[in-house]
Amino acid sequence: MKIMRKISLLVLSVSICLVSVGQASRHGIVLDEATGQVLVGATIVSVGSGATVVSDERGKFVIEKLADTILVSAVGYIAKQFVPGTREHVVILLSPLERELDAVVVSGTMRPVKKSESPISVEVYTPQFLKKNPSPSLFESLSNVNGVRPQLNCSVCNTGDIHINGLEGPYTMVTIDGMPIVSSLASVYGLFGIPTQLIDRIEIVKGPASGLYGSEAIGGLINIITKSPEKSPLFTANFMTTSWLEHNFDAGAKLRIGKKANLLAGINYFNYQHAFDKNNDQFTDVTLQHRISIFNKLSFTRRNNRVATLAGRYFYEDRWGGDMRWSKQFRGTDSIYGESIYTNRWELIGNYQLPVNEKMFFSFSATGHHQDSYYGTLPYLAKQKIAFGQFNWDKPVGAHHNLLFGSVLRYNYYDDNSTATLDTLSGKNTPDKHAIPGMYVQDEWKVNSKHHLLLGLRYDHHPVHKSIFTPRVAWKWSLREREVIRLNAGTGFRVVSLFTEEHAALTGARAVEIKESLRPERSYNVNVNYTRHFRWGGTSINTDASIWYSHFMNQIIPDYDTDPNKIIYKNLRGFSSSTGLTLNLEVNSGNRFKSLAGVTLQDVKKVERNDHGKSIRQALMLTEKWSGTWALTYVFPAIGLTVDYTGNIYGPMRLPLLSDTDPRPGFSPVWSIQNIQFTKLLGKKVEIFGGIKNLLNWTPARHSPFLIARSNDPFDKRLDYNGDGKVDLDANGRVPVTSENPYGLTFDPAYVYAPNQGLRIFAGMRFSLKQ
């Protein structure tokens, strides 16, 4: 009996141990459901205990402290919850996630639709893309988007805009959550200070969107969509610093307010106060900046999941550039040259779904912008207030039609101390106040399973230019699964706001001359887009190619050539056009390597009739013939390390010279900015990153004897021989060539086409608390 009792106890002990071992761990393999190939670097998490492992090079894993449920995820695949039961070995199949193809977009049609089903070509860029080259502003981040180029317009204050398909910044509308709040006066610095921690995605439409969004979308649309408070992490933070002593901090937090509201709050702070002069022209290479942006977004819980959101942002910035000896005591004086800009701005955005059975929405925005600036001795004091309201009715009709009805009203108040608001008859300052009502209708017709047609028409009533119609048409042809051709065509119009859009009118020594009453610009555009998705084994390939033609009438192009001492603004007597081809190629191989590369070829020109009726063709200023971008990523899952190599390259572009004797090159060289980053995961909440920006240490100063003309005499005092406060000219109206001024130049900071910031090291940390 004693022996049997001992045997029984031994068997029971072994059984308990075996059960304990079985409960404590499981082993398994993770496979691609579509191809059966092993997935390297998949993350397996034990729900409850939080234990985490990563699948090895054979896709296998062993996890301890196994709970009843495990969560399995991998980059490019749909995450899956799995209940292993009593099995010791488990096989987990993950389905590929075509995120770019299946992402829901709203910018093309103003209604949520899968990107693959949209009749309008929409490019989507996620926060993961922005992380590949971390930057303190979206302005710099967009430099890695094919066909999109951030353009600096001033070497001193670093104002800039966004070029799409060779068209200047004022032709591109920038919206936040679909609301046109980054425009006109705000377009100069509007892409600075938006907290990247709060961005859900960026949608880009290349080509005219005036038929749906109005005049400022004549060349394209950049829609920044913020995160939903319900789906946001509990807390996120991001800090980055560089060897140039630039410091950037982003933070976001989610709060529950009562039972029916969620709040997403964010802050962005950027500080750069260390002046560099590496090209030895006695002027700052990069504008010094100090800015803060605070963002809040409320989301309310309503019956039937109806939408109700309210968001607000406050932005303050103090920036200056100029003579290295400048300080605020010289602001507005003619002792030491500096350009100093104070910006105060507030924004309010709302979206409310009406409590009716139909899909009816009312969206609104309001902004206030105050700019207090001095460009040397020239003050520019401007205030702008914009109120915008939009009503949408999304109405399905039968099984094949989806109608969209909308009405809009935009009110604009603008006042400054320039001639833009001067009444020429009374001589009094008269702020510009006007309201532009409009309406639009759109029909999406699913002809059959392969053909999808969109027809749209918008009507706006401008107080000066009266009735304006902008039609558009789009056709989508699904050749086969994941292979689509899209054809888009439409018209556009734009009313120019000169001093808020053309920074060159404020800085430098050139006089501004407006030769006539400026008429609104008009355009028509045709765009053909082809997309195809391939999959071979564990490699996924997406191709996206487009060709376009845009034709502009009445275009207002600053004329730097006729008189080197002036910037002449007038409607073009002739036409201008933009013709081009763009190709994007995305590759995802083995869940380790991912690349996105693109190339753009374009011909942007103006054809103008001279006084003798002869047509003269000329390439537009600051427009490259070709460009390329790339973002290459490789993941080492076993050690939690990611390497990103990003960059861009640009072909020559015509540059603004002051005279025939100006020694600076008339065309830029081929130039490239390249970056590398290493990111290391430290657990589930923290990652550190670091790398090098501008690996080639390239700056425009390499290929020019100087960038800023006569930086040693920024007030042109040495050219005022008569003492009347003006530059003295010779009999031909030119600046005379002298021993002191051997090239016959005046002060001019407009010769700029690329960042003037060389190699710099950066490092930072990201923290994320999901719940």
Side-chain angles (χ1 to χ4, degrees), residues 452-508:
H452 190 168
L453 184 65
L454 180 146
L455 301 171
L457 177 66
R458 176 171 174 134
Y459 168 79
D460 291 275
H461 185 271
H462 193 275
V464 177
H465 307 293
K466 306 307 178 185
S467 296
I468 301 173
F469 292 90
T470 47
R472 73 168 180 167
V473 60
W475 171 54
K476 172 177 171 284
W477 180 16
S478 300
L479 299 175
R480 66 186 82 175
E481 187 178 8
R482 303 300 193 188
E483 184 179 13
V484 175
I485 292 178
R486 293 177 175 89
L487 172 66
N488 300 324
T491 66
F493 78 99
R494 187 174 81 95
V495 179
V496 174
S497 179
L498 184 61
F499 287 93
T500 64
E501 297 173 357
E502 295 288 352
H503 177 265
L506 297 170
T507 188

Side-chain angles (χ1 to χ4, degrees), residues 163-230:
H163 290 203
I164 292 183
N165 290 347
L167 300 177
E168 293 184 333
Y171 295 91
T172 299
M173 173 177 278
V174 180
T175 64
I176 298 180
D177 290 332
M179 294 291 98
I181 62 175
V182 184
S183 61
S184 197
L185 190 60
S187 62
V188 176
Y189 309 111
L191 289 176
F192 296 89
I194 299 174
T196 56
Q197 297 293 310
L198 304 184
I199 295 175
D200 180 69
R201 66 188 185 274
I202 299 173
E203 297 182 5
I204 298 179
V205 177
K206 297 175 181 176
S210 294
L212 209 53
Y213 290 92
S215 68
E216 292 174 352
I218 191 171
L221 172 73
I222 299 175
N223 189 11
I224 301 162
I225 299 174
T226 59
K227 291 179 180 177
S228 165
E230 292 84 0

Side-chain angles (χ1 to χ4, degrees), residues 663-679:
R664 296 173 294 182
F667 283 83
S668 66
V670 175
W671 59 279
S672 175
I673 302 293
Q674 302 177 25
N675 321 285
I676 191 166
Q677 175 186 234
F678 300 89
T679 303

Side-chain angles (χ1 to χ4, degrees), residues 322-352:
D323 193 305
M324 292 287 289
R325 301 168 296 169
W326 189 91
S327 62
K328 290 187 178 180
Q329 72 188 79
F330 299 110
R331 192 172 194 258
T333 71
D334 64 354
S335 301
I336 296 178
Y337 187 89
E339 297 185 3
S340 170
I341 302 101
Y342 300 147
T343 302
N344 272 283
R345 177 176 176 82
W346 59 266
E347 303 165 352
L348 186 68
I349 306 171
N351 188 17
Y352 180 77

Side-chain angles (χ1 to χ4, degrees), residues 374-501:
Y374 274 89
Y375 300 89
T377 59
L378 177 65
Y380 178 59
L381 310 174
K383 291 182 180 180
Q384 186 170 45
K385 297 176 183 178
I386 298 175
F388 180 83
Q390 176 175 275
F391 171 78
N392 269 344
W393 180 16
D394 184 359
K395 176 65 177 177
V397 178
H400 300 288
H401 290 270
N402 198 299
L403 298 178
L404 181 71
F405 300 97
S407 60
V408 297
L409 178 64
R410 178 185 177 116
Y411 173 79
N412 183 78
Y413 170 92
Y414 176 76
D415 188 20
D416 68 18
N417 64 321
S418 76
T419 56
T421 56
L422 182 67
D423 189 316
T424 56
L425 296 178
S426 65
K428 296 181 179 180
N429 180 63
T430 306
D432 178 29
K433 305 175 185 178
H434 65 263
I436 302 178
M439 61 183 65
Y440 52 86
V441 61
Q442 176 180 277
D443 179 22
E444 291 185 63
W445 177 21
K446 293 186 178 179
V447 181
N448 52 43
S449 61
K450 291 185 176 293
H451 296 280
H452 190 168
L453 184 65
L454 180 146
L455 301 171
L457 177 66
R458 176 171 174 134
Y459 168 79
D460 291 275
H461 185 271
H462 193 275
V464 177
H465 307 293
K466 306 307 178 185
S467 296
I468 301 173
F469 292 90
T470 47
R472 73 168 180 167
V473 60
W475 171 54
K476 172 177 171 284
W477 180 16
S478 300
L479 299 175
R480 66 186 82 175
E481 187 178 8
R482 303 300 193 188
E483 184 179 13
V484 175
I485 292 178
R486 293 177 175 89
L487 172 66
N488 300 324
T491 66
F493 78 99
R494 187 174 81 95
V495 179
V496 174
S497 179
L498 184 61
F499 287 93
T500 64
E501 297 173 357

Side-chain angles (χ1 to χ4, degrees), residues 508-520:
R510 291 180 186 245
V512 174
E513 180 179 341
I514 303 174
K515 295 202 96 173
E516 58 193 4
S517 177
L518 301 177
R519 301 184 301 278

Side-chain angles (χ1 to χ4, degrees), residues 31-207:
L31 304 175
D32 184 314
E33 185 179 52
T35 65
Q37 292 196 349
V38 300
L39 293 183
V40 180
T43 302
I44 301 93
V45 179
S46 174
V47 177
S49 71
T52 304
V53 297
V54 176
S55 59
D56 61 19
E57 64 276 4
R58 296 173 296 174
K60 294 184 178 182
F61 67 90
V62 177
I63 187 166
E64 307 293 334
K65 301 179 182 179
L66 189 64
D68 293 334
T69 305
I70 59 176
L71 178 65
V72 185
S73 61
V75 177
Y77 291 83
I78 300 173
K80 175 184 288 188
Q81 283 196 341
F82 188 80
V83 180
T86 59
R87 287 170 288 179
E88 294 184 7
H89 181 77
V90 294
V91 178
I92 300 171
L93 303 177
L94 295 186
S95 301
L97 173 61
E98 310 298 349
R99 288 182 294 181
E100 287 77 10
L101 290 174
D102 294 329
V104 174
V105 296
V106 296
S107 301
T109 60
M110 273 195 187
R111 49 184 298 272
V113 61
K114 282 187 177 182
K115 178 185 174 183
S116 58
E117 298 176 0
S118 172
I120 306 295
S121 177
V122 181
E123 297 180 12
V124 180
Y125 297 92
T126 64
Q128 286 71 30
F129 176 82
L130 301 179
K131 287 180 180 180
K132 295 177 186 295
N133 180 29
S135 303
S137 71
L138 284 178
F139 180 81
E140 185 179 339
S141 297
L142 293 175
S143 63
N144 286 326
V145 177
N146 185 29
V148 176
R149 184 172 67 86
Q151 167 64 44
L152 291 175
N153 296 324
C154 177
S155 293
V156 180
C157 69
N158 289 170
T159 180
D161 56 30
I162 300 295
H163 290 203
I164 292 183
N165 290 347
L167 300 177
E168 293 184 333
Y171 295 91
T172 299
M173 173 177 278
V174 180
T175 64
I176 298 180
D177 290 332
M179 294 291 98
I181 62 175
V182 184
S183 61
S184 197
L185 190 60
S187 62
V188 176
Y189 309 111
L191 289 176
F192 296 89
I194 299 174
T196 56
Q197 297 293 310
L198 304 184
I199 295 175
D200 180 69
R201 66 188 185 274
I202 299 173
E203 297 182 5
I204 298 179
V205 177
K206 297 175 181 176

